[in-house]
Amino acid sequence: VVARNQRTAEVGIRPHKLGPSIVFAAALVASLIVGLLLWSGFEVDRSALRRDRAVADLVLRQSVERVAHLQESSTVWDDAVRQVHKRPLDMAWLDINLGTWFNEYAGFDEVYILSPRDEPIYAMRGGKRTVLESYIAVEDVVDPMADRLRRTTSIPKPTDGDVAMLSPGVSDLAVLRGRPAIVSLKPIVSDSGDIVQKPGNETIQVSIVYLDKDYFSRIGADYGLSHASYRLVPSNSADETSVPLTTATGRTIGYLVWSPFTPGKSVIRLVGPILLLVLVLFGVITYQLANRLARRTVDLENSRSLAQHQAMHDSLTGLPNRAMFEEHLDSALAHCRRYRTLLALLYIDLDHFKQVNDSLGHPAGDSLIQQVAHRLSLEIRGYDMVARLGGDEFAILLFDPDSPASVARACARIVAELERPFDLAAQQAFIGASIGVALAPRDSLDRHELTRKADIALYQAKFDGRGRYVFFKPCMDENVQMRETINRDLRLALADREQQLKLYYQPVYAAASGRIVAVEALLRWHHPENGIVTPDTFIRTAEESGQIEALGTWVLHKAMADAGNWPGLRISVNVSPIQIRNRTFARTVETILDETGIAPERLELELTETALMSASADVTETLRSLRDLGVACALDDFGTGYSSLSHIRDIAVDRIKIDRSFINTVDTVPGAALVEAIVGLARANGMHLTAEGVETETQLSFLRKVGCHEVQGYFMSQPVSAEAITQLLADEASLPALTQPADERAA
Ligand code: C2E
Ligand code: CA
Ligand code: CA
């Protein structure tokens, strides 16, 4: 069912999921953007590289073809055929047409002319004709090529991008003299077709072009391959790319290395930092937004749960309030009905709380309530519930107790616990509590009915003298019904007051002289069916229903009216705390005095401690107004209330009426000592004293002896009708003064 611990758990920060998910989404978007940039950059670079490689391949092939093509400007020529067959050779002619000329004209580095038997008949190197032996250095490469050429008869068909050739030829890349070179062989053939030679028996021109540094930087510049160079091994630098230089036979003779054009990388390099900055900014903003959102969510959650908590809890004690209590009672009763379990409902009312609150102030009262809440919480099990219903009322739900006996034990513990003193700022306070218990299903399974019965039991507990617990019994219901009947009948009585309401008067005697000095007005109700009803039966009910005000006003009026018949006599009237709390009370009294023409000095109001101790400014003001009027105040039932003997001097009254429970005990030693002390203390403080409930001669003489001013009790007279008082006064006047010429006036 309900755990008390819920109270503490309800307020607090709940873990939130919103912030992290937003941050995660932002991070995802950011990494997607970065990833896309990197990927597209790399993709662009890859295709740029593919293009570069294709270009490099083409350039190399074209370079080779170019050499072969250039050769043909001289090798496909009738004159050249004739000249290479002529003996002796015209070296000068060969220089300017087939040899040195090629160096000047096309930049060929070496040129050899091979006889049909592959013997060199002409050699040129670096633009100069040279010795035929220089052919030895290239022989190993050229001889196999010459063999191939002599076996080749067809002219290669031009493919895409190739240059159309006029004659067959063999050309390739090779390493000569330790350097990469283009080697190209062309037969020297007739251009007109007039000179017929046996195929494979032609004279061959060999052209060699070294791929030097200049060559590579030239093609680099022409085709956009920056820092192009030749290397024997491929580059392992990330910034360079290498294309192998392979011969027709598939031999790799080195590598063309260059720094590839990387537009992607450039873009990344350019955009990257900006993008990074934007993303960081985006991240920061997102984070802050998410953070704020999360905080706001948490705040909202908190304030919502706080509001929920406040709606369901009492702010002073943090205990569940009436709303929550009723909710839980309903569900507990449903559980009870369903599973046939026991449920105990305890209504707790603090005794004398009002006095503490009035005399020590509200902060002390609050502290007291908090301490009570704490003690109650410690007395119940974790799954039971204690709630504050308001003021000094608490309720406890005991879920599924073992038996009514265990409920009784719990109640006894609580009563004992609340009887222990409470430490308040200024002093210790003793209060105590009354508990009313109703059990479900025995008493009822309906919330309203069960709470009503717990309330009745509580009322009974208070009625029985407080500081106890009482289980509801069906007969109590009858009491309540009786109270309801009383209320209804009292309302009728007030309407018919001249018939049903009577004032009786009990004489008050001067202890020394025995003369009547005052009368106390006591209300009697002549019920049409029940006969005379004493105030004990109905005053409390009238206070509860609020009828006491009308009743009290009537009493005052009637007493003052009767007082007109008894000149010089003091009239005491009992006043309920409810009456004194009404701000207009002093005015009401004044009006009645005016109307009846009674001197204010003849009226004395009897107030209980509860009324007098009220710290309310209104009550203090009313009391002051009354005394200004000249009306006297007496403290009724002294000794039964909260205040101790030492409190006497703090109470602003003219008279103290010692309660009859004290007078009852004057025949015991401590009782006598107590009464003597009270009398002494009051006299020392300039107060008048009346002893009430004097029933015996002994009591009377004791009171006389200790100096009590006035006495009242059945020993002298019962309360009697107004007519009887008139009679008593007349009788007294005809009698001689009593003995004991004591001086109550001097006292
Ligand atoms: P109280 O003010 O203490 O009144 C004295 C009560 O003690 C009276 O009871 C009286 O009959 C009774 N009594 C007097 N002498 C003796 C005695 O020697 N022995 C015993 N055992 N009792 C004695 P009563 O008239 O039943 O009044 C009861 C209480 O009702 C009063 O107690 C007073 O507090 C209240 N009360 C009576 N009339 C009024 C009234 O008009 N207004 C208000 N607010 N309260 C009233
Ligand atoms: Ca009284
Ligand atoms: Ca009294």
Side-chain angles (χ1 to χ4, degrees):
V1 190
V2 202
R4 203 164 21 118
N5 312 343
Q6 221 178 327
R7 282 209 312 274
T8 46
E10 266 167 15
V11 181
I13 295 182
R14 297 240 173 88
H16 53 93
K17 306 240 156 54
L18 203 57
S21 63
I22 288 183
V23 171
F24 177 74
L28 197 73
V29 168
S31 41
L32 269 174
I33 292 172
V34 170
L36 199 68
L37 177 76
L38 290 178
W39 177 77
S40 60
F42 289 137
E43 236 358 76
V44 166
D45 284 355
R46 257 212 343 223
S47 60
L49 188 64
R50 261 203 308 274
R51 186 208 70 117
D52 274 5
R53 283 177 190 229
V55 165
D57 264 348
L58 189 72
V59 167
L60 280 169
R61 217 172 63 224
Q62 284 185 345
S63 298
V64 172
E65 276 172 9
R66 187 179 142 265
V67 172
H69 186 62
L70 285 169
Q71 274 178 292
E72 286 187 331
S73 60
S74 289
T75 59
V76 183
W77 187 17
D78 287 0
D79 282 0
V81 178
R82 273 185 224 108
Q83 283 290 333
V84 293
H85 281 103
K86 198 172 104 183
R87 292 296 181 275
L89 290 162
D90 182 346
M91 285 304 182
W93 190 94
L94 289 180
D95 273 346
I96 55 168
N97 289 297
L98 285 167
T100 48
W101 179 78
F102 270 109
N103 179 264
E104 290 150 26
Y105 164 61
F108 292 0
D109 294 300
E110 292 178 30
V111 170
Y112 299 95
I113 299 174
L114 302 179
S115 71
R117 277 176 288 130
D118 292 343
E119 275 157 3
I121 55 170
Y122 177 87
M124 187 282 287
R125 234 187 119 190
K128 285 193 190 78
R129 188 181 340 129
T130 186
V131 290
L132 298 177
E133 284 76 14
S134 73
Y135 177 67
I136 294 167
V138 302
E139 189 175 41
D140 284 354
V141 172
V142 176
D143 272 0
M145 291 175 74
D147 268 5
R148 254 194 293 152
L149 178 62
R150 290 192 194 287
R151 274 182 269 119
T152 315
T153 48
S154 61
I155 299 167
K157 284 214 181 79
T159 53
D160 227 12
D162 285 357
V163 186
M165 295 288 178
L166 302 169
S167 60
V170 168
S171 42
D172 204 352
L173 294 172
V175 177
L176 293 176
R177 301 180 200 277
R179 295 152 68 193
I182 295 169
V183 183
S184 181
L185 280 66
K186 280 281 178 185
I188 297 171
V189 293
S190 161
D191 61 331
S192 60
D194 293 348
I195 306 169
V196 180
Q197 295 178 91
K198 195 175 160 213
N201 252 357
E202 298 93 346
T203 303
I204 295 172
Q205 201 240 17
V206 179
S207 294
I208 295 171
V209 177
Y210 287 103
L211 304 179
D212 52 13
K213 240 194 179 141
D214 283 354
Y215 169 79
F216 286 113
S217 45
R218 202 175 54 247
I219 61 163
D222 287 353
Y223 296 96
L225 307 177
S226 61
H227 306 112
S229 66
Y230 170 79
R231 305 258 180 91
L232 271 172
V233 287
S235 165
N236 54 12
S237 157
D239 294 333
E240 289 177 327
T241 184
S242 317
V243 164
L245 303 178
T246 35
T247 67
T249 55
R251 230 186 97 218
T252 298
I253 56 154
Y255 295 87
L256 171 57
V257 176
W258 73 94
S259 305
F261 172 47
T262 50
K265 252 188 213 155
S266 320
V267 167
I268 291 172
R269 234 171 259 141
L270 194 75
V271 174
I274 301 170
L275 185 73
L276 206 72
L277 201 76
V278 169
L279 286 180
V280 166
L281 223 76
F282 170 70
V284 168
I285 291 171
T286 311
Y287 177 76
Q288 282 186 340
L289 278 180
N291 218 19
R292 199 176 305 169
L293 195 70
R295 246 201 327 260
R296 196 146 346 134
T297 313
V298 169
D299 284 353
L300 208 69
E301 279 276 301
N302 279 352
S303 63
R304 207 179 39 209
S305 62
L306 191 72
Q308 215 165 4
H309 183 92
Q310 280 170 349
M312 288 305 212
H313 291 82
D314 165 52
S315 57
L316 181 62
T317 58
L319 292 180
N321 62 11
R322 187 182 286 273
M324 187 166 174
F325 169 76
E326 287 178 351
E327 214 170 84
H328 283 294
L329 179 53
D330 274 336
S331 62
L333 284 171
H335 190 267
C336 246
R337 256 193 299 276
R338 178 124 184 233
Y339 300 102
R340 305 254 114 228
T341 53
L342 196 61
L343 174 74
L345 168 59
L346 279 57
Y347 263 12
I348 303 172
D349 199 282
L350 302 184
D351 302 334
H352 314 300
F353 171 71
K354 182 119 191 34
Q355 278 126 309
V356 172
N357 208 34
D358 288 349
S359 56
L360 302 180
H362 289 292
D366 286 354
S367 163
L368 183 66
I369 290 290
Q370 283 168 336
Q371 291 182 42
V372 167
H374 182 66
R375 287 191 196 177
L376 290 178
S377 299
L378 294 179
E379 281 308 312
I380 61 168
R381 300 164 300 178
Y383 48 88
D384 291 331
M385 181 191 210
V386 53
R388 182 179 177 213
L389 303 184
D392 58 349
E393 283 174 60
F394 292 85
I396 287 180
L397 283 180
L398 299 177
F399 296 106
D400 200 13
D402 296 336
S403 62
S406 74
V407 176
R409 279 195 296 276
C411 290
R413 269 204 321 273
I414 293 169
V415 168
E417 191 55 32
L418 297 184
E419 257 160 20
R420 287 199 299 111
F422 289 86
D423 281 321
L424 300 178
Q427 61 191 94
Q428 282 198 329
F430 293 83
I431 49 165
S434 308
I435 305 180
V437 187
L439 297 174
R442 193 186 75 186
D443 295 330
S444 176
L445 275 170
D446 174 74
R447 168 156 67 81
H448 295 287
E449 193 56 12
L450 195 69
T451 52
R452 191 184 69 84
K453 289 184 169 170
D455 204 32
I456 289 168
L458 173 62
Y459 191 94
Q460 188 68 48
K462 289 200 243 175
F463 188 78
D464 292 353
R466 301 172 184 264
R468 67 193 64 217
Y469 64 91
V470 168
F471 278 67
F472 174 80
K473 284 190 214 70
C475 67
M476 291 175 193
D477 225 355
E478 289 152 25
N479 288 346
V480 170
Q481 263 144 27
M482 195 179 83
R483 281 205 303 277
E484 277 163 10
T485 313
I486 288 175
N487 250 325
R488 197 194 53 222
D489 291 358
L490 198 59
R491 196 159 288 123
L492 297 173
L494 267 165
D496 182 26
R497 59 192 105 186
E498 296 311 324
Q499 285 304 311
Q500 295 196 30
L501 297 181
K502 293 261 153 29
L503 266 194
Y504 274 42
Y505 295 93
Q506 186 174 32
V508 181
Y509 300 82
S513 66
R515 285 185 170 273
I516 299 176
V517 286
V519 285
E520 179 181 359
L522 294 163
L523 190 55
R524 296 289 178 267
W525 176 10
H526 288 256
H527 194 276
E529 287 147 35
N530 303 357
I532 292 184
V533 185
T534 57
D536 289 324
T537 330
F538 65 89
I539 290 290
R540 194 185 166 130
T541 316
E543 282 177 340
E544 281 168 359
S545 68
Q547 300 193 77
I548 190 70
E549 300 213 44
L551 209 55
T553 305
W554 179 82
V555 169
L556 265 169
H557 218 282
K558 180 82 177 129
M560 291 304 101
D562 286 344
N565 301 323
W566 314 315
L569 209 61
R570 196 177 76 234
I571 316 290
S572 288
V573 177
N574 292 289
V575 173
S576 156
I578 312 278
Q579 286 173 274
I580 202 90
R581 267 175 228 151
N582 190 328
R583 279 193 237 165
T584 60
F585 182 68
R587 287 270 305 284
T588 309
V589 172
E590 193 179 1
T591 314
I592 293 170
L593 287 172
D594 280 353
E595 281 172 9
T596 51
I598 301 295
E601 289 70 30
R602 289 182 57 201
L603 175 62
E604 185 171 73
L605 301 178
E606 297 195 359
L607 298 158
T608 54
E609 223 171 304
T610 316
L612 282 168
M613 295 288 283
S614 172
S616 144
D618 285 345
V619 172
T620 317
E621 175 65 30
T622 301
L623 288 171
R624 212 172 48 74
S625 308
L626 288 170
R627 306 185 95 203
D628 287 352
L629 263 178
V631 174
C633 286
L635 172 57
D636 205 353
D637 306 337
F638 178 81
T640 57
Y642 182 65
S643 60
S644 59
L645 266 184
S646 58
H647 250 106
I648 287 185
R649 57 178 155 269
D650 303 332
I651 301 167
V653 290
D654 310 282
R655 177 179 305 277
I656 283 175
K657 294 190 79 172
I658 308 172
D659 191 66
R660 74 170 166 273
S661 56
F662 288 93
I663 307 305
N664 263 333
T665 61
V666 295
D667 41 7
T668 69
V669 175
L674 191 60
V675 172
E676 192 171 358
I678 294 171
V679 173
L681 212 57
R683 288 186 72 125
N685 282 285
M687 289 171 174
H688 295 272
L689 277 155
T690 301
E692 40 175 32
V694 180
E695 293 180 343
T696 63
E697 171 89 68
T698 342
Q699 288 166 359
L700 178 62
S701 54
F702 173 80
L703 292 162
R704 273 183 174 147
K705 195 184 82 203
V706 296
C708 182
H709 305 118
E710 293 173 6
V711 287
Q712 173 186 4
Y714 293 169
F715 179 65
M716 286 75 68
S717 170
Q718 294 246 345
V720 293
S721 67
E723 295 74 37
I725 291 292
T726 311
Q727 188 57 52
L728 268 175
L729 287 174
D731 294 351
E732 194 183 58
S734 62
L735 283 174
L738 277 180
T739 47
Q740 297 243 6
D743 51 343
E744 70 274 2
R745 278 166 208 90

Short mmCIF file of all heavy atoms in Angstrom, two decimals, residues 635-664:
data_model
loop_
_atom_site.label_atom_id
_atom_site.label_comp_id
_atom_site.label_asym_id
_atom_site.label_seq_id
_atom_site.Cartn_x
_atom_site.Cartn_y
_atom_site.Cartn_z
N LEU A 635 -11.29 33.71 37.86
CA LEU A 635 -10.80 32.48 37.23
C LEU A 635 -11.52 31.31 37.87
O LEU A 635 -11.36 31.03 39.05
CB LEU A 635 -9.28 32.37 37.42
CG LEU A 635 -8.66 31.03 36.99
CD1 LEU A 635 -8.96 30.75 35.52
CD2 LEU A 635 -7.15 31.07 37.21
N ASP A 636 -12.35 30.67 37.02
CA ASP A 636 -13.20 29.57 37.50
C ASP A 636 -12.41 28.27 37.53
O ASP A 636 -11.43 28.12 36.79
CB ASP A 636 -14.39 29.43 36.55
CG ASP A 636 -15.60 28.79 37.23
OD1 ASP A 636 -15.45 28.35 38.38
OD2 ASP A 636 -16.68 28.76 36.59
N ASP A 637 -12.83 27.36 38.36
CA ASP A 637 -12.24 26.01 38.40
C ASP A 637 -10.73 26.02 38.55
O ASP A 637 -10.03 25.22 37.91
CB ASP A 637 -12.61 25.21 37.15
CG ASP A 637 -14.11 25.15 36.91
OD1 ASP A 637 -14.86 25.34 37.88
OD2 ASP A 637 -14.52 24.94 35.75
N PHE A 638 -10.21 26.93 39.36
CA PHE A 638 -8.76 27.03 39.47
C PHE A 638 -8.17 25.71 39.93
O PHE A 638 -8.65 25.09 40.87
CB PHE A 638 -8.34 28.15 40.43
CG PHE A 638 -6.84 28.21 40.58
CD1 PHE A 638 -6.06 28.85 39.62
CD2 PHE A 638 -6.21 27.60 41.65
CE1 PHE A 638 -4.69 28.87 39.72
CE2 PHE A 638 -4.83 27.61 41.76
CZ PHE A 638 -4.06 28.25 40.79
N GLY A 639 -7.10 25.28 39.26
CA GLY A 639 -6.41 24.03 39.65
C GLY A 639 -6.69 22.88 38.72
O GLY A 639 -5.94 21.91 38.69
N THR A 640 -7.75 23.00 37.92
CA THR A 640 -8.05 21.88 37.01
C THR A 640 -7.39 22.09 35.66
O THR A 640 -7.26 21.16 34.87
CB THR A 640 -9.56 21.74 36.76
OG1 THR A 640 -10.05 22.98 36.26
CG2 THR A 640 -10.29 21.40 38.04
N GLY A 641 -6.97 23.31 35.41
CA GLY A 641 -6.45 23.63 34.08
C GLY A 641 -4.96 23.34 33.95
O GLY A 641 -4.41 22.50 34.64
N TYR A 642 -4.38 24.09 33.09
CA TYR A 642 -3.00 23.84 32.69
C TYR A 642 -2.01 24.57 33.58
O TYR A 642 -0.93 24.09 33.86
CB TYR A 642 -2.84 24.31 31.24
CG TYR A 642 -1.48 24.08 30.68
CD1 TYR A 642 -1.00 22.77 30.51
CD2 TYR A 642 -0.66 25.14 30.33
CE1 TYR A 642 0.25 22.55 29.99
CE2 TYR A 642 0.59 24.92 29.81
CZ TYR A 642 1.05 23.62 29.65
OH TYR A 642 2.27 23.40 29.14
N SER A 643 -2.39 25.76 34.03
CA SER A 643 -1.41 26.59 34.71
C SER A 643 -1.11 26.07 36.11
O SER A 643 -1.94 25.44 36.76
CB SER A 643 -1.92 28.02 34.77
OG SER A 643 -3.12 28.02 35.48
N SER A 644 0.08 26.33 36.52
CA SER A 644 0.51 25.87 37.83
C SER A 644 0.32 26.99 38.84
O SER A 644 -0.06 28.11 38.50
CB SER A 644 1.96 25.44 37.76
OG SER A 644 2.72 26.54 37.33
N LEU A 645 0.60 26.65 40.05
CA LEU A 645 0.46 27.62 41.14
C LEU A 645 1.23 28.90 40.88
O LEU A 645 0.74 30.00 41.11
CB LEU A 645 1.00 27.00 42.43
CG LEU A 645 -0.01 26.31 43.33
CD1 LEU A 645 0.69 25.85 44.60
CD2 LEU A 645 -1.13 27.27 43.67
N SER A 646 2.45 28.70 40.35
CA SER A 646 3.31 29.87 40.15
C SER A 646 2.75 30.80 39.08
O SER A 646 3.19 31.93 38.94
CB SER A 646 4.71 29.42 39.75
OG SER A 646 4.61 28.65 38.57
N HIS A 647 1.76 30.31 38.35
CA HIS A 647 1.16 31.11 37.30
C HIS A 647 0.20 32.16 37.84
O HIS A 647 -0.19 33.06 37.10
CB HIS A 647 0.37 30.19 36.35
CG HIS A 647 1.02 30.05 35.01
ND1 HIS A 647 1.68 28.92 34.62
CD2 HIS A 647 1.10 30.92 33.98
CE1 HIS A 647 2.13 29.09 33.39
NE2 HIS A 647 1.80 30.31 32.98
N ILE A 648 -0.22 32.01 39.10
CA ILE A 648 -1.27 32.87 39.66
C ILE A 648 -1.04 34.35 39.38
O ILE A 648 -1.93 35.05 38.91
CB ILE A 648 -1.42 32.63 41.19
CG1 ILE A 648 -2.09 31.27 41.42
CG2 ILE A 648 -2.22 33.75 41.84
CD1 ILE A 648 -2.39 30.97 42.87
N ARG A 649 0.21 34.79 39.63
CA ARG A 649 0.44 36.23 39.52
C ARG A 649 0.36 36.72 38.07
O ARG A 649 0.20 37.89 37.81
CB ARG A 649 1.77 36.62 40.14
CG ARG A 649 2.95 35.89 39.56
CD ARG A 649 4.24 36.37 40.19
NE ARG A 649 5.27 35.33 40.09
CZ ARG A 649 5.48 34.42 41.00
NH1 ARG A 649 4.76 34.42 42.10
NH2 ARG A 649 6.40 33.50 40.83
N ASP A 650 0.51 35.76 37.08
CA ASP A 650 0.47 36.18 35.68
C ASP A 650 -0.95 36.34 35.18
O ASP A 650 -1.18 36.89 34.09
CB ASP A 650 1.17 35.13 34.79
CG ASP A 650 2.60 34.89 35.23
OD1 ASP A 650 3.19 35.84 35.80
OD2 ASP A 650 3.10 33.78 35.01
N ILE A 651 -1.91 35.80 35.94
CA ILE A 651 -3.28 35.83 35.44
C ILE A 651 -3.97 37.11 35.89
O ILE A 651 -4.05 37.41 37.08
CB ILE A 651 -4.05 34.59 35.94
CG1 ILE A 651 -3.33 33.32 35.45
CG2 ILE A 651 -5.48 34.60 35.42
CD1 ILE A 651 -3.82 32.07 36.14
N ALA A 652 -4.44 37.86 34.88
CA ALA A 652 -5.01 39.16 35.20
C ALA A 652 -6.48 39.02 35.58
O ALA A 652 -7.37 39.30 34.79
CB ALA A 652 -4.85 40.10 33.99
N VAL A 653 -6.76 38.54 36.82
CA VAL A 653 -8.15 38.43 37.29
C VAL A 653 -8.25 39.03 38.69
O VAL A 653 -7.25 39.22 39.37
CB VAL A 653 -8.64 36.96 37.32
CG1 VAL A 653 -8.82 36.41 35.92
CG2 VAL A 653 -7.72 36.09 38.14
N ASP A 654 -9.49 39.29 39.07
CA ASP A 654 -9.71 39.88 40.39
C ASP A 654 -9.92 38.80 41.44
O ASP A 654 -9.75 39.03 42.62
CB ASP A 654 -10.96 40.76 40.34
CG ASP A 654 -10.89 41.73 39.18
OD1 ASP A 654 -10.18 42.74 39.30
OD2 ASP A 654 -11.52 41.44 38.13
N ARG A 655 -10.33 37.64 40.95
CA ARG A 655 -10.73 36.59 41.87
C ARG A 655 -10.34 35.24 41.34
O ARG A 655 -10.29 35.02 40.13
CB ARG A 655 -12.25 36.66 42.08
CG ARG A 655 -12.83 35.58 42.98
CD ARG A 655 -14.33 35.75 43.13
NE ARG A 655 -14.67 37.08 43.59
CZ ARG A 655 -14.66 37.44 44.88
NH1 ARG A 655 -14.37 36.56 45.82
NH2 ARG A 655 -15.00 38.66 45.22
N ILE A 656 -10.08 34.35 42.31
CA ILE A 656 -9.82 32.97 41.94
C ILE A 656 -10.86 32.11 42.63
O ILE A 656 -11.12 32.28 43.82
CB ILE A 656 -8.40 32.56 42.38
CG1 ILE A 656 -7.36 33.16 41.41
CG2 ILE A 656 -8.26 31.06 42.43
CD1 ILE A 656 -5.94 32.90 41.85
N LYS A 657 -11.44 31.22 41.85
CA LYS A 657 -12.38 30.28 42.45
C LYS A 657 -11.69 28.92 42.50
O LYS A 657 -11.43 28.30 41.45
CB LYS A 657 -13.67 30.19 41.63
CG LYS A 657 -14.46 31.50 41.66
CD LYS A 657 -15.84 31.35 41.07
CE LYS A 657 -16.81 30.70 42.04
NZ LYS A 657 -18.21 30.74 41.51
N ILE A 658 -11.40 28.50 43.75
CA ILE A 658 -10.70 27.23 43.91
C ILE A 658 -11.68 26.10 43.60
O ILE A 658 -12.79 26.04 44.15
CB ILE A 658 -10.16 27.05 45.34
CG1 ILE A 658 -9.34 28.30 45.74
CG2 ILE A 658 -9.29 25.81 45.44
CD1 ILE A 658 -8.94 28.29 47.21
N ASP A 659 -11.24 25.21 42.72
CA ASP A 659 -12.13 24.14 42.26
C ASP A 659 -12.51 23.20 43.40
O ASP A 659 -11.73 22.95 44.31
CB ASP A 659 -11.47 23.36 41.13
CG ASP A 659 -12.46 22.44 40.45
OD1 ASP A 659 -13.41 22.97 39.83
OD2 ASP A 659 -12.33 21.20 40.58
N ARG A 660 -13.71 22.66 43.26
CA ARG A 660 -14.19 21.84 44.37
C ARG A 660 -13.38 20.55 44.55
O ARG A 660 -13.37 20.00 45.64
CB ARG A 660 -15.68 21.56 44.23
CG ARG A 660 -16.13 20.58 43.22
CD ARG A 660 -17.61 20.26 43.41
NE ARG A 660 -18.07 19.57 42.21
CZ ARG A 660 -18.51 20.19 41.14
NH1 ARG A 660 -18.61 21.50 41.13
NH2 ARG A 660 -18.86 19.50 40.06
N SER A 661 -12.64 20.14 43.53
CA SER A 661 -11.80 18.94 43.71
C SER A 661 -10.72 19.20 44.77
O SER A 661 -10.27 18.27 45.43
CB SER A 661 -11.18 18.54 42.37
OG SER A 661 -10.46 19.62 41.83
N PHE A 662 -10.31 20.47 44.95
CA PHE A 662 -9.33 20.80 45.99
C PHE A 662 -9.99 20.87 47.36
O PHE A 662 -9.45 20.41 48.36
CB PHE A 662 -8.65 22.14 45.69
CG PHE A 662 -7.69 22.05 44.54
CD1 PHE A 662 -8.09 22.35 43.27
CD2 PHE A 662 -6.36 21.67 44.76
CE1 PHE A 662 -7.23 22.25 42.21
CE2 PHE A 662 -5.48 21.57 43.70
CZ PHE A 662 -5.90 21.86 42.42
N ILE A 663 -11.20 21.47 47.34
CA ILE A 663 -11.90 21.63 48.61
C ILE A 663 -12.21 20.26 49.21
O ILE A 663 -12.14 20.05 50.41
CB ILE A 663 -13.19 22.46 48.42
CG1 ILE A 663 -12.88 23.78 47.71
CG2 ILE A 663 -13.92 22.69 49.75
CD1 ILE A 663 -11.81 24.63 48.38
N ASN A 664 -12.50 19.31 48.29
CA ASN A 664 -12.75 17.93 48.68
C ASN A 664 -11.62 17.31 49.47
O ASN A 664 -11.83 16.36 50.22
CB ASN A 664 -12.89 17.07 47.41
CG ASN A 664 -14.33 16.86 47.06
OD1 ASN A 664 -15.17 16.90 47.95
ND2 ASN A 664 -14.62 16.65 45.78
#
